[in-house]
């Protein structure tokens, strides 16, 4: 199932690539966001979902005799939101993105007298 929030994403490209055999299988999501891939051989596959205006999503899945029918659900994020989240994270890592400031405050005796009215 491929969704963004609670909304299914129809028409998204779903691919499964086996690095060992160099084989790639491609399918597209239905109106309800569901998809089905016919995997020809057991082994590790990289599943990727792509859709215009959304950030691609990838995950690793292993198909074998005990795992023939592996459900893989994807949550797609709009590119604009993904970029905003990335920028926020980068700013947080860089101290807010505004640089660092050093502010020293000194209080003089003359300032105290003037403020207290004496």
């Amino acid at each position: 199932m491929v969704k963004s929030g609670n909304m299914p994403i129809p028409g998204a490209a779903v691919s499964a690539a086996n690095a060992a055999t160099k084989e790639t299988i491609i399918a597209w999501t239905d109106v309800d966001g569901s998809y089905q891939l016919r995997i020809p051989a057991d082994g590790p596959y990289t599943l990727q979902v792509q859709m215009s205006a959304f950030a691609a999503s990838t995950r690793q899945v292993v198909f074998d005799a005990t795992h023939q029918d592996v459900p893989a659900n994807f949550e797609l994020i709009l590119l604009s939101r993904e970029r905003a989240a990335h920028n926020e994270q980068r700013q947080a890592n860089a101290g807010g993105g505004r640089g660092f400031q050093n502010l020293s405050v000194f209080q003089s005796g003359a300032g105290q007298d003037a403020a207290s009215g004496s």
Side-chain angles (χ1 to χ4, degrees):
M1 184 71 61
V2 179
K3 292 184 174 185
S4 179
N6 291 328
M7 297 298 298
I9 305 295
V14 182
S15 63
N18 184 318
T21 64
K22 308 288 187 219
E23 191 166 15
T24 301
I25 298 92
I26 299 173
W28 287 266
T29 56
D30 290 331
V31 174
D32 63 356
S34 65
Y35 66 94
Q36 188 172 13
L37 293 167
R38 304 264 187 235
I39 305 298
D42 291 347
Y45 285 83
T46 300
L47 299 181
Q48 184 175 40
V49 177
Q50 295 178 308
M51 181 66 180
S52 295
F54 289 90
S57 183
T58 305
R59 74 175 48 170
Q60 303 295 319
V61 176
V62 176
F63 295 96
D64 56 28
T66 59
H67 300 96
Q68 292 291 320
D69 196 14
V70 178
N73 297 320
F74 290 88
E75 177 73 24
L76 296 185
I77 300 171
L78 285 169
L79 274 174
S80 59
R81 290 187 182 170
E82 190 267 341
R83 286 182 188 140
H86 179 71
N87 287 340
E88 286 174 11
Q89 180 63 38
R90 194 170 65 205
Q91 286 179 353
N93 291 340
R98 296 183 181 146
F100 293 97
Q101 296 180 0
N102 186 7
L103 177 63
S104 297
V105 178
F106 295 100
Q107 186 174 22
S108 70
Q112 274 185 322
D113 291 340
S116 64
S118 352

